[in-house]
Amino acid sequence: MSDLLLKNVRPLGAEATDILIRDGKIAAMGENLSAEGLAVEDGAGHIVVPAMVEAHTHLDKTTWGMPWYQGRKGGVLQDLIDNERNERNPIGLDVHRQSMRHAIGLIETGSCHIRSHVDIDTDHGLSLLEGKIETRNKLKGLIDIEIVAFPQSGLMVRPGTDKLMEAAMEAGADVVGGLDPSSMDRDPKGQLDFLFALADKHGAQIDIHLHEPGELGAFTMEEILNRTEALGMQGKVGVSHAFCLGSVSESRIAGLVDRLAKLDVAIFSTGHASATTPSLAQLRAAGVRVGIGCDGIRDTWGPWGDPDMLERARLVGMKNRFRRDDELELLMDITTTGGAASCGRYGHEVKVGALADLTLLTGETLAHAVVLRDPRPLVIKGGKVVARAGKAVVEAP
C-alpha cells in the first residue's frame, strides 16, 4: 500500500480533480490537496475509473508467447476438452510461466482482479493449481487472483476427481467450480450435491460453467437456483456463460432472470461469438450482478483473444448490440464496479474510503473510452503504480 497524490484526473469522465491516496485508500478528492511528502502523478486530464475486473478467464490455458499451436481441432465440447487435456504436456505448457504472461498482460491493460478457473482432473492432479498459486504469490500487490477449482473433464464421470476437488480447496483454491451437471456428468443431482456441500464446508462461493443450451440448460439452471434457495446460499453462487438465457422463450428467460435476481445469483458472460448469450441489459435491469471475462485466450481451443478487458468489453458490447452512449457506460460499469460486485467485491468505486485500485483511460467521455484502443496511461493498485503507458512494472517471463 502506498501514499500518492493523483492530479488532474476526471472521475468517470466528470470534471477534473485531484485524488489523495493514503495507506492504499482514497483519502480525499478535490482541488488544492496537499502533496507534501507524497509522490505525485499528473493524470493529464485523463478519465479515471475503478480498475477493471476480469471475472471469467483460464490463466492455466494460454499459449501466449509460445510457438504457434497448430493442433487445434473442431468438434463438440468434449473433443475440445479432451484435446486440451492431452496436449498440455506434449507442447510444454508450463502453467506458472503462462499464467504470469496472461496476468501481467491484464495488469498492463488496467485490471486489478482476476477470477480464474484452473482445471482439476485425474491426469494432472493438483499440478495446474500449484502453478497458478505460484503466480498468485509472485504477483501479490500487483493484481489479485481468485482461483476457481474447476473439474472441466467431468466430476461424477471421472472417479477420483471429487477427492482432488477437496484437496484443491484445502491447498488454496478460493471458489468451487462446476461444469454442465446434466450434459457432462448426466447426474445433476450428484454434481450439485457435491459442489454445494464442498462450498459449505469451506465457506466458499460457487461458480458453475453452464454451456447447456435451450430447455436442458434452463432445467439445470432451475436446479442450481433451487439448491441456492434451499440451502440459503444467496449471494454465494454464480453461473458462467448461461447460454440458455438466450435460447429459450422470452417468458422462460424472464422467469429465470427474476429468480436469479431474487436469489442474488451472479451471471458471468464472455460474449461468446458462436453461441447465444444472456442480455446484459435485461439482467442488470432486473438487479442481477453481472461480470464479464476474456475466457481462454490464444489456447488449444482457439487462436483468438487478448489479455485486455476493454477489448473484451467491445466484443461483449457488439454481441449485445450496444450502440448508445448509455449502453457503453453500462458496459464500462460491468467491466469495473459491477464486475467486482459479481465476484462478491463491493465498494469498488472512485470514492473516498475505497481501495485505490484505479485505471486511467484516454477519451472524451466514458463511452468514447470504451471504444478506443489506446494504451492505458496509468494503472494503480492499492495506491501503487503497477503499469504505465501499457507497460507493467514487472517483466513477463
Side-chain angles (χ1 to χ4, degrees):
M1 297 296 184
S2 301
D3 295 344
L4 177 70
L5 182 63
L6 182 59
K7 297 183 66 65
N8 189 23
V9 290
R10 294 183 290 135
L12 305 181
E15 293 298 315
T17 189
D18 300 339
I19 298 177
L20 175 65
I21 299 168
R22 290 198 179 276
D23 297 324
K25 293 186 177 181
I26 298 176
M29 297 174 64
E31 299 178 355
N32 302 315
L33 299 176
S34 174
E36 186 176 352
L38 297 178
V40 178
E41 291 285 348
D42 183 1
H46 291 305
I47 295 172
V48 61
V49 298
M52 285 164 269
V53 174
E54 164 55 276
H56 182 102
T57 197
H58 298 264
L59 292 177
D60 60 310
K61 298 179 184 292
T62 187
T63 62
W64 196 270
M66 293 175 61
W68 181 254
Y69 177 64
Q70 302 181 52
R72 296 183 181 92
K73 295 177 172 57
V76 298
L77 179 64
Q78 188 65 60
D79 295 332
L80 300 172
I81 291 171
D82 292 344
N83 182 61
E84 177 187 53
R85 188 179 64 253
N86 295 330
E87 288 283 88
R88 282 180 180 271
N89 292 337
I91 67 173
L93 203 163
D94 179 275
V95 168
H96 172 54
R97 181 192 66 221
Q98 293 308 117
S99 61
M100 285 285 288
R101 290 173 176 174
H102 189 162
I104 290 171
L106 286 165
I107 292 170
E108 292 178 336
T109 53
S111 290
C112 69
H113 181 84
I114 303 169
R115 172 175 282 198
S116 175
H117 304 258
V118 63
D119 288 9
I120 304 296
D121 63 58
T122 52
D123 285 13
H124 298 92
L126 300 184
S127 63
L128 310 182
L129 171 66
E130 290 162 356
K132 192 174 290 188
I133 287 175
E134 186 179 358
T135 293
R136 180 173 68 184
N137 293 339
K138 287 275 183 68
L139 296 180
K140 185 176 180 179
L142 303 179
I143 194 165
D144 300 327
I145 300 177
E146 182 182 31
I147 300 175
V148 185
F150 178 48
Q152 177 164 268
S153 292
L155 180 62
M156 313 304 292
V157 295
R158 289 179 71 90
T161 305
D162 55 348
K163 292 181 175 58
L164 286 170
M165 288 286 288
E166 287 262 14
M169 295 305 296
E170 291 168 0
D174 305 293
V175 179
V176 175
L179 171 71
D180 295 332
S182 297
S183 60
M184 172 60 73
D185 278 334
R186 298 180 181 274
D187 184 3
K189 180 180 186 304
Q191 186 183 131
L192 295 177
D193 278 349
F194 177 81
L195 298 182
F196 277 82
L198 184 59
D200 180 64
K201 177 180 178 180
H202 290 275
Q205 296 183 49
I206 296 172
D207 189 339
I208 301 174
H209 281 57
L210 188 58
H211 304 100
E212 298 164 1
E215 278 301 324
L216 179 61
F219 162 77
T220 303
M221 183 169 285
E222 284 181 329
E223 291 299 299
I224 294 169
L225 293 169
N226 291 342
R227 294 301 177 91
T228 302
E229 184 172 21
L231 299 175
M233 293 282 283
Q234 291 90 335
K236 299 191 72 174
V237 178
V239 177
S240 289
H241 299 306
F243 296 150
C244 63
L245 291 180
S247 58
V248 291
S249 69
E250 290 184 8
S251 60
R252 188 88 159 96
I253 292 170
L256 290 169
V257 169
D258 182 61
R259 288 198 71 197
L260 287 166
K262 288 180 178 177
L263 296 173
D264 195 14
V265 172
I267 294 292
F268 305 101
S269 180
T270 62
H272 198 290
S274 57
T276 57
T277 56
S279 164
L280 301 192
Q282 181 182 17
L283 289 168
R284 281 292 298 262
V288 178
R289 288 179 294 126
V290 179
I292 64 173
C294 297
D295 207 358
I297 62 164
R298 199 177 299 178
D299 53 20
T300 63
W301 292 52
W304 313 113
D306 295 281
D308 183 348
M309 283 305 299
L310 274 188
E311 175 66 17
R312 179 56 49 169
R314 289 187 281 270
L315 296 174
V316 171
M318 286 187 279
K319 184 72 174 183
N320 279 263
R321 300 181 181 179
F322 285 172
R323 299 174 183 272
R324 303 190 311 268
D325 277 19
D326 64 305
E327 292 172 327
L328 299 184
E329 290 166 5
L330 173 63
L331 193 57
M332 181 68 82
D333 182 80
I334 289 170
T335 310
T336 57
T337 301
S342 73
C343 297
R345 296 166 60 93
Y346 300 96
H348 182 57
E349 302 175 59
V350 183
K351 68 176 184 180
V352 173
L355 283 174
D357 292 349
L358 305 168
T359 295
L360 269 59
L361 304 173
T362 58
E364 299 173 25
T365 66
L366 272 183
H368 189 206
V370 172
V371 304
L372 290 178
R373 297 177 181 270
D374 297 347
R376 313 299 110 89
L378 204 66
V379 183
I380 296 169
K381 173 67 179 168
K384 175 183 175 182
V385 174
V386 296
R388 189 186 302 274
K391 183 67 175 175
V393 297
V394 290
E395 292 285 338

